[in-house]
Amino acid sequence: MTTFNTSRRSFLATTGLTGLALAAGAQAAPVASGKQPNIVYIMADDMGYADLSCFGAQGYTTPVLDGLAAQGLKLRHAYANAPICSPTRTALVTGRYQGRFRAGLNEPNVGFTPGMELPKGTPTVASMLRDAGYRTAFVGKWHVCKVPEFSPFHYGYDSFFGIAGGGADYFIHTAIRNGAPVEGDLRDGDKEIHREGYLTDILADEAIKQIKAGGDKPLFLSLHFNAPHWPWEGPEDAAHAHTLKDMRDPSGGSLETYAKMMVSMDANIGRVLAALEQAGMSENTLVVFTSDNGGERYSNTWPLTGYKGELLEGGIRVPMIVRWPGHIAPASVSDQVVISMDTVPTFLAAAKAPPPVSDGLNLLPQWTGQAPSVSRTLFWRMKASDQAAVREGNWKYLRLGGKEHLFDVARDPRERAELGPLYPERLAAMRAQWEAWNATMLPYPPDSYSEPTSAFYADRFPAPPKGTADPVAGKGA
C-alpha cells in the first residue's frame, strides 16, 4: 500500500494556513462580542472515527484537519443521529430527532416516496439563521428530499449547488445502476448542469465562491462533501467512471484509493480555510467538521467496532473538530457527548438568535470552556435488524441482531465487556427508557425503506436463501 505522508508544514504553506497552524498553542485575540460569527459546517460522508490522522488514521495524513484540531477543539465522543445518511441529514437540518418526521423514516431516503418529505416551512437551521440576518448557502450532498420539488431552497437556504441523491460518481456526477447513470445529478440551484472535474474539487470551488461573494451579512455555509462515500475513486481515476457497472461494486476500491480520497478532501478543506483567511473572515468564523455516520468498507474505526448501518459505536460515533478563534481554546480535547442535532441550538446561540425548539442541546458553553461537561441521554433506532441504542452517561444499551447488550463505552469503546448479566436492573431500565422514547417517535410505515444491513456486511448478516424474506430489513420489512 502506498503511504501518503504529505509534509504538514509544506502543505499549510501552500494553502496560506501556516501561521494559523503553527500558532495553535497561543490563544487568538478575542473578537468583538457583539458581532455575529460566520458559521461554516463541513461534513464528510461515510467517514470512519479514525479516518483522520489526528484521530488515528494509518497510511496517510490529513494535515489540514489535524491543523484545525490544533487550532481548536477535538471532540472524542461525538455521534451521528443515525448510522446512515438521510436520517442524520434530516436531524441535522431540523435539530430534532429524525423520527419526528416522515422524511426521517426512510433509511436512506433513496426513493423519495411521495408523502415522505420534510414539510415545507419546517423551521430549519438555515431558515432560523436567515431570520437572524445570515446569508445561507448549501453546497454538496442534499439527500433529504426530492430535488427540485424539495430542494434546499424550500428550507431556508439562499443558494444550492450539489447533488440530490445518496451518491454520485466523482467524474460523471451521477449514480450508476446496471451500467446506466441514474440519480445524483449535479445541480446549480434547481437546474441540472454539466461540469468537468473531480467532484470533491468542484464542491470546494463552489464553497470558495460563496466565501468570496462577501456582502454585509454573516455567512452560514453548509459544505457537505460526498467523499469518501462509494464509488471509491481518487482524483486520478477518471477512467474508472466509464467502466463502473454499479456504484456499490463489491470488487471496487482499495485502501490506497480510499487514502487518496481522504487526502483530496483534506486538501480541499485547506483551500476553503485558506479562502476564509484571504477574505479576512477566519478570526470571526465558527468552523465545524464531522461526518454523517460511521465508516464503511475501507474506513478505520479503531478502537470502535461496527460500521455504517449498525448502532455499534463504529456506526454512529464520528470525529468532530470545532474552531472559533478567541472563543474556543486551541489544542483542546473534550469528552463531552455531542450529537448531530446539537449543532442547531449551538449555532443559533453563537449567532445570538432566539433558541429553537430542538431535541439537541446548546453546547456553546462547553465548547468555549464556560461550563463543565454535562451528562446526556441519547437515543437511536434503525429498522434494519431491529436495532435500538441508548447512551446514558457512560452506559450504553444496545439491541442488535435480536440480542441485548449493556456496555460502559467510556472504559470499553470496543463494546466487548458484556455488563448486562452484572447489571440486569440497569439494562432493563435503559430498555424501558428506549421504549418510552420510541413511543414518541413516528412509527415506521409498512412501506418505509430501510437499508438492509446485509447490503453492507454480508459476511456478518448473510442474505436469506432465495425465495425467502430478508429477516434483517428490506422494503416492506
Side-chain angles (χ1 to χ4, degrees):
M1 174 180 163
T2 303
T3 300
F4 300 90
N5 286 313
T6 305
S7 162
R8 177 177 169 186
R9 185 180 293 270
S10 64
F11 180 83
L12 292 171
T14 63
T15 58
L17 297 174
T18 309
L20 283 173
L22 299 182
Q27 180 73 47
V31 298
S33 59
K35 191 174 182 182
Q36 290 175 306
N38 304 294
I39 301 171
V40 175
Y41 180 86
I42 306 174
M43 189 164 69
D45 195 354
D46 289 2
M47 188 185 73
Y49 181 77
D51 279 343
L52 306 180
S53 42
C54 59
F55 277 82
Q58 299 180 22
Y60 62 91
T61 60
T62 51
V64 171
L65 288 165
D66 294 355
L68 193 72
Q71 298 153 23
L73 173 66
K74 185 168 78 167
L75 290 145
R76 297 188 295 197
H77 288 254
Y79 287 91
N81 261 77
I84 200 162
C85 302
S86 298
T88 291
R89 292 165 194 273
T90 300
L92 181 67
V93 168
T94 62
R96 311 296 304 278
Y97 278 113
Q98 61 274 14
R100 297 193 185 281
F101 304 96
R102 289 177 63 81
L105 303 180
N106 280 346
E107 300 169 327
N109 201 350
V110 292
F112 302 117
T113 308
M116 299 293 283
E117 304 91 1
L118 188 65
K120 293 177 182 178
T122 300
T124 68
V125 62
S127 68
M128 289 183 280
L129 284 172
R130 187 169 66 180
D131 289 346
Y134 277 72
R135 175 170 63 91
T136 59
F138 188 99
V139 175
K141 173 177 167 177
W142 176 234
H143 203 201
V144 175
C145 303
K146 188 177 182 180
V147 171
E149 293 89 339
F150 297 91
S151 72
F153 288 123
H154 298 288
Y155 303 99
Y157 291 95
D158 297 322
S159 62
F160 166 51
F161 181 100
I163 59 172
D169 182 272
Y170 286 77
F171 296 94
I172 61 176
H173 313 142
T174 68
I176 306 293
R177 295 286 186 273
N178 299 318
V182 285
E183 59 174 305
D185 50 294
L186 188 64
R187 290 176 177 267
D188 187 350
D190 286 340
K191 182 179 177 183
E192 287 188 45
I193 65 165
H194 174 75
R195 186 172 298 182
E196 297 290 334
Y198 188 62
L199 189 52
T200 307
D201 297 338
I202 291 171
L203 297 180
D205 290 343
E206 291 299 320
I208 291 167
K209 283 183 184 178
Q210 291 296 332
I211 292 167
K212 289 182 175 179
D216 297 330
K217 295 181 178 181
L219 172 65
F220 171 56
L221 170 62
S222 286
L223 172 55
H224 296 191
F225 286 104
N226 66 317
H229 193 284
W230 45 258
W232 294 283
E233 297 170 329
E236 300 171 358
D237 294 334
H240 180 262
H242 302 287
T243 63
L244 195 62
K245 301 300 180 187
D246 189 277
M247 290 180 67
R248 196 180 294 167
D249 179 357
S251 68
S254 67
L255 288 174
E256 182 176 18
T257 298
Y258 191 86
K260 290 177 179 178
M261 297 171 75
M262 287 298 304
V263 168
S264 172
M265 182 173 64
D266 185 71
N268 275 292
I269 291 170
R271 294 174 56 220
V272 172
L273 298 179
L276 287 171
E277 180 74 9
Q278 291 158 10
M281 297 167 63
S282 285
E283 290 302 298
N284 193 34
T285 297
L286 171 59
V287 177
V288 176
F289 173 83
T290 191
S291 180
D292 64 339
N293 48 249
E296 221 185 314
R297 162 185 328 186
Y298 297 109
S299 297
N300 182 2
T301 62
W302 180 264
L304 314 177
T305 56
Y307 296 90
K308 175 182 178 178
E310 299 172 330
L311 292 182
L312 287 157
E313 290 289 284
I316 52 176
R317 202 192 294 195
V318 292
M320 180 177 277
I321 299 169
V322 183
R323 184 189 79 182
W324 188 10
H327 296 268
I328 294 173
S332 50
V333 177
S334 174
D335 288 336
Q336 170 66 61
V337 175
V338 56
I339 193 168
S340 309
M341 62 189 177
D342 291 335
T343 55
V344 177
T346 302
F347 289 169
L348 287 165
K352 299 177 175 60
V357 175
S358 176
D359 295 314
L361 184 66
N362 168 22
L363 291 176
L364 200 62
Q366 285 70 35
W367 290 4
T368 57
Q370 303 303 306
S373 294
V374 293
S375 184
R376 310 285 305 277
T377 302
L378 298 173
F379 301 90
W380 292 266
R381 67 178 187 172
M382 190 173 177
K383 186 179 178 184
S385 301
D386 184 31
Q387 298 182 61
V390 181
R391 175 156 179 178
E392 181 182 22
N394 293 336
W395 292 97
K396 181 177 175 182
Y397 165 82
L398 174 68
R399 188 176 74 226
L400 175 66
K403 297 180 180 179
E404 291 184 310
H405 310 273
L406 182 68
F407 304 109
D408 179 341
V409 290
R411 298 182 62 186
D412 175 31
R414 286 188 66 72
E415 296 169 287
R416 285 294 184 259
E418 181 61 73
L419 301 180
L422 297 178
Y423 302 95
E425 298 87 357
R426 176 166 286 278
L427 187 147
M430 293 182 75
R431 179 201 303 125
Q433 281 183 294
W434 184 88
E435 289 172 349
W437 166 82
N438 187 53
T440 68
M441 299 292 110
L442 293 174
Y444 289 107
D447 61 347
S448 174
Y449 181 87
S450 189
E451 187 78 70
T453 311
S454 55
F456 298 107
Y457 305 107
D459 55 337
R460 288 186 286 170
F461 298 92
K466 246 183 176 178
T468 63
D470 185 344
V472 298
K475 191 168 184 178

